[in-house]
Amino acid sequence: MAPWRVLLVSTPIGALGTGLGGGVELTIANVARALGGRGHHVEVVAPAGSRADGAALHEVGGAPPPSAQREGRDAPTRIPPDSLLANMFSLARQRQDDHDVLVNFAYDWLGFYLTPFFSTPLAHVVSMGSLLDTVDAALGAVVRDLPGRAACHTHAQAATFAFGDGLHVVGNGLDLAHYEVGLEPEEALAWVARISPEKGLEDALAAAARVGLPLRVFGVVDDEPYWEAARRRYPGAVVSYEGFLPTERLQAELGRCQALLVTPRWDEAFGNVVAEALACGVPVVTYGRGGPAELVADGETGFVVEAGSVPALVAGIERVGELDRATCRRHAEAAFSLEAFGDRLERWLAPQVDGP
Ligand code: UDP
């Protein structure tokens, strides 16, 4: 196959490397690595101040949109003056003739709506489950009118959309060489996410307090009042806030923990942190909803427990000692290697690049 020239269009929620964009930041880096590793030429359009790990970067300024998680389902699409997202798509349009395919990662109305107006195929990796009616309507039109253009990470994520059968599931990938297995954990649990209500930190605090293990919290504080309130509510939990760490340091810290707790109040699209924990040999105790539940082999690489139930979470934590950390790593290698991810991405994009 001749190498492709691929332009990735990032999320406008935060600059790459800040953590505000959530898992999509690591996903974009890994898509760039997976396609670059197969000889394709990859460039990235992203908010000013981004870091792109070697891929050629086009930085764009402007005002970010509101975060989809904070909006009501029926909220209209709001586009601020000097819209960052509009500026990113203007740049993508100007550069489209230099590329064989454009891949958008923003779950926003504008990119989906603009799809048929581009002359170079604009494809989409949908980075969230269904959240907003206006966005879903525009994405639904892409799925209906341009079959194959849109992909997502898990079957659970696809099932949140009325047109989920039309989404191509590509999973995700990690550069496993960056993750070391920690075979001898300390007496501590990990919780890794943006600190924001949809991530359900309070349940992890409640469970950690009940089992009497310290909880190490990693991630950007996205919602300060929520973070303060959650800590006040569980004074019995021994919590240490470790900050937002770059992958290299995060994986080293994760590898020292007995288990990762995943306690979302929404349907996560994938759950990069689950793949990362398994790559470090760390079992995952997760609520049984969304992508994370699809990534954990119950009783083998972790426990998938009733969503929203702290007692179920506690029961899972109490059994993690039964699990083999080397098995967790092997599962990560089988499911999330960059080679396999590159294969899946090529299979998805080839018909778009080659045309009908
Ligand atoms: N993360 C990080 N350092 C930290 C905490 C989190 O780099 O200290 C990254 C983590 O590697 C993952 C992302 O933040 O890629 C969280 O992504 P996830 O898919 O779990 O959730 P999202 O925020 O997209 O809902």
Side-chain angles (χ1 to χ4, degrees):
M1 164 188 304
W4 302 335
R5 296 160 303 163
V6 184
L7 186 64
L8 308 182
V9 184
S10 180
T11 172
I13 291 295
L16 294 172
T18 61
L20 291 170
V24 70
E25 295 185 20
L26 186 70
T27 298
I28 289 168
N30 286 325
V31 167
R33 285 190 192 115
L35 291 174
R38 305 179 81 85
H40 303 300
H41 176 77
V42 182
E43 299 183 15
V44 181
V45 175
S50 289
R51 290 199 312 265
D53 267 2
L57 177 66
H58 304 278
E59 294 182 72
V60 178
S67 166
Q69 294 95 301
R70 311 261 160 79
E71 300 276 275
R73 169 166 282 287
D74 57 356
T77 289
R78 289 186 283 139
I79 299 185
D82 190 29
S83 159
L84 171 58
L85 189 62
N87 296 345
M88 287 166 66
F89 277 106
S90 292
L91 187 88
R93 184 180 55 80
Q94 285 156 21
R95 300 197 60 88
Q96 64 180 329
D97 293 343
D98 296 335
H99 297 276
D100 299 305
V101 64
L102 317 179
V103 185
N104 161 51
F105 292 82
Y107 173 81
D108 283 275
W109 177 83
L110 187 63
F112 298 142
Y113 175 76
L114 287 175
T115 310
F117 297 94
F118 273 76
S119 51
T120 296
L122 171 58
H124 306 277
V125 173
V126 182
S127 56
M128 288 203 244
S130 165
L131 275 183
L132 300 174
D133 291 340
T134 50
V135 179
D136 285 10
L139 174 59
V142 171
V143 169
R144 185 189 64 224
D145 298 338
L146 294 161
R149 278 295 173 85
C152 70
H153 295 297
T154 59
H155 295 281
Q157 178 196 3
T160 65
F161 295 96
F163 44 81
D165 288 351
L167 294 170
H168 191 108
V169 177
V170 292
N172 218 331
L174 290 179
D175 190 343
L176 290 154
H178 290 177
Y179 298 84
E180 273 177 46
V181 189
L183 287 176
E184 284 172 24
E186 296 162 11
E187 298 269 303
L189 300 168
W191 188 90
V192 187
R194 283 174 298 107
I195 300 176
S196 183
E198 72 273 13
K199 296 291 188 174
L201 172 62
E202 61 275 26
D203 290 6
L205 294 174
R210 275 206 222 166
V211 294
L213 284 170
L215 184 69
R216 297 179 186 164
V217 172
F218 304 86
V220 166
V221 180
D222 211 358
D223 186 332
E224 185 77 44
Y226 165 74
W227 167 228
E228 299 295 336
R231 294 192 68 165
R232 270 199 308 275
R233 199 167 146 198
Y234 294 101
V238 179
V239 189
S240 57
Y241 176 58
E242 310 288 341
F244 176 75
L245 305 184
T247 298
E248 176 134 336
R249 285 182 53 211
L250 175 66
Q251 66 85 28
E253 294 296 332
L254 250 178
R256 282 197 264 279
C257 295
Q258 283 185 354
L260 173 75
L261 307 186
V262 183
T263 51
R265 300 229 172 280
W266 69 335
D267 289 329
E268 298 267 340
F270 185 74
N272 274 333
V273 297
V274 173
E276 296 186 87
L278 296 177
C280 297
V282 176
V284 178
V285 183
T286 180
Y287 281 162
R289 63 181 302 173
E294 197 170 311
L295 307 183
V296 174
D298 189 35
E300 239 183 302
T301 62
F303 295 102
V304 179
V305 307
E306 185 190 338
S309 166
V310 171
L313 207 52
V314 167
I317 296 167
E318 284 171 344
R319 293 186 57 197
V320 288
E322 299 167 20
L323 304 173
D324 173 33
R325 292 170 80 92
T327 302
C328 295
R329 168 73 185 201
R330 272 199 302 279
H331 273 249
E333 284 169 0
F336 314 123
S337 76
L338 276 192
E339 293 70 27
F341 187 40
D343 261 351
R344 295 192 295 268
L345 290 170
E346 277 188 344
R347 254 181 281 134
W348 166 48
L349 288 172
Q352 306 305 325
V353 175
D354 296 341

